[in-house]
Amino acid sequence: MPVLSLTEGSFAKHLKCRECGRAYPLDPVHVCEFCFGPLEVFYDYGAMGRAVSRERIEQGPPTMWRYADLLPCNREMAVDIGTGFTPLVRARNLGRLLGLERLYIKNDCQNPTWSFKDRVVSVATSVAREFEFDTLACASTGNLANSVSAHAARAGMKARVFIPADLEQGKIIGSAVYGPTLVAVDGSYDEVNRLCSEVSDKYPWAFVNINVRPYYAEGSKTLGYEVCEQLGWRAPDHCIVPLASGSLYTKIYKGIKELAWLGLIDWRATRMSGAQAEGCSPIAEAWNRRSYLIKPQKPNTIAKSLAIGNPADGYYALKAMSESNGAAAIVTDHEIVEGIKLLAETEGIFAETAGGVVISGLRRLVEDGHVNPEEVVVAFITGAGLKTQEAVLPAIQPALHIRATLDSFEQALEARDGALPLARGA
Ligand SMILES: *Cc1c(COP(=O)(O)O)cnc(C)c1O
Ligand SMILES: [Zn+2]
């Protein structure tokens, strides 16, 4: 096993157990030996605060690596395929429809492998190289597999990628094209993940979401940083985030808090709300029971990217939800498709099923009075729709199929719309 400790060129100081607070050196480890709590990266915030400034960040590259000072790796080692600094779009049409005055969409479809997973994998790959691993691996619900495969290719590493066998075509091809060893497992994500824990114990590979998970997870903070910078160095009032393991959700919150600690923004007590699909909603279900005890579920939903029945960070997500005065929404598969269509038809953004969960989840939260109409609301759209075409196929209007004549066109149009549109000069 590589024994190199990460210290050079980063303000990361040590790993720290989230339960008992014990410190560990910056190694590829993820659980506390004493209490089995998860480890998290802890920084020298004093030194970080002296180094960072809005100006320094603004002069950085137009990618997530403009925040390198706030990440646990050496910026010289960054494996950067152009991830991050994705558009924050003012959603006036959708906002009007939902009764929200200041709604924004953070469009993370526009990453190199079309999902926010490039953020976490970019950090994990960089760290894996610092630790001198030659193989990058993961247990994935789909998007992670795409991103690990692409980053391993770029870093010249081998990739071993484990997925549930029943994934969408778009996600299988979107991994296979980069040439990884793609392993399709008969079983749910939770079974894939359990298998990968065993594989990870046996083989010296960098499993991005197992042994290097503490570093990996930090990549999601950049979504929080970007949104604040793009709002003119101002925190949103309310974030709506999709929940799978709960990691993304907790790290967006951590990112916003860090900017406030560092004095780069004012603290505004940002509220953190989450959304899940009915067929896999262990975190939202616990929230509705007002309990911190998560009951694992057997997933059955079209939102496969969020189909984690036993969420590793669920407890911490519930704590953040409670601390931030947020809420959780649960939406049906039918509502997921409606949400995808609504976002596409109002704002021209084609999201995958996780985006449908967020948009319909937001709608539910507004209806239930959890979102104040004047709040600056940011809905996080974390993956692109071309990967999950199966989900919307039954809901889209078929094309008018015609012969290549004006006559055939007009017949078809009239048959569908009941009348022809006004002609020129009519
Ligand atoms: C992985 C994923 C998430 C959420 O992941 P967490 O496990 O909660 O960090 C959200 N959206 C998409 C599209 C994803 O692929
Ligand atoms: Zn511990």
Side-chain angles (χ1 to χ4, degrees), residues 16 37 49 57 76 104 140 143 166 216 223 268 273 286 354 408:
K16 193 168 162 185
I57 292 170
E76 308 304 324
Y104 291 83
S140 173
N143 286 318
D166 70 347
Y216 156 97
L223 262 170
R268 314 181 55 94
S273 289
S408 177

Side-chain angles (χ1 to χ4, degrees), residues 300-384:
N300 179 18
T301 169
I302 59 169
K304 293 179 195 282
S305 57
L306 304 181
I308 298 184
N310 192 8
D313 291 285
Y315 168 73
Y316 301 101
L318 288 168
K319 282 215 329 201
M321 204 172 276
S322 166
E323 182 192 316
S324 73
N325 192 27
I330 299 177
V331 302
T332 64
D333 279 2
H334 179 71
E335 289 171 313
I336 293 172
V337 176
E338 281 183 347
I340 294 174
K341 291 271 289 158
L342 188 60
L343 180 63
E345 291 175 6
T346 54
E347 300 297 341
I349 296 170
F350 182 15
E352 70 142 88
T353 45
V357 169
V358 166
I359 298 301
S360 284
L362 170 61
R363 179 172 220 165
R364 174 68 49 81
L365 292 168
V366 171
E367 282 167 8
D368 292 350
H370 290 301
V371 183
N372 174 335
E374 287 100 56
E375 284 178 330
V376 169
V377 178
V378 177
F380 288 81
I381 301 302
T382 48

Side-chain angles (χ1 to χ4, degrees), residues 17 20 32 35:
C17 174
C20 73
C32 176
C35 76

Side-chain angles (χ1 to χ4, degrees), residues 18-19 38 190 213 242-251 274 276 281-289 291-296 308-322 328:
R18 279 163 92 168
E19 290 304 317
D190 298 282
R213 186 175 177 89
L243 301 160
S245 72
S247 174
L248 167 68
Y249 174 93
T250 58
K251 295 295 177 170
Q276 292 200 294
S281 49
I283 302 174
E285 191 273 336
W287 174 258
N288 289 342
R289 266 190 293 117
S291 167
Y292 284 122
L293 216 72
I294 289 178
K295 294 185 194 158
I308 298 184
N310 192 8
D313 291 285
Y315 168 73
Y316 301 101
L318 288 168
K319 282 215 329 201
M321 204 172 276
S322 166

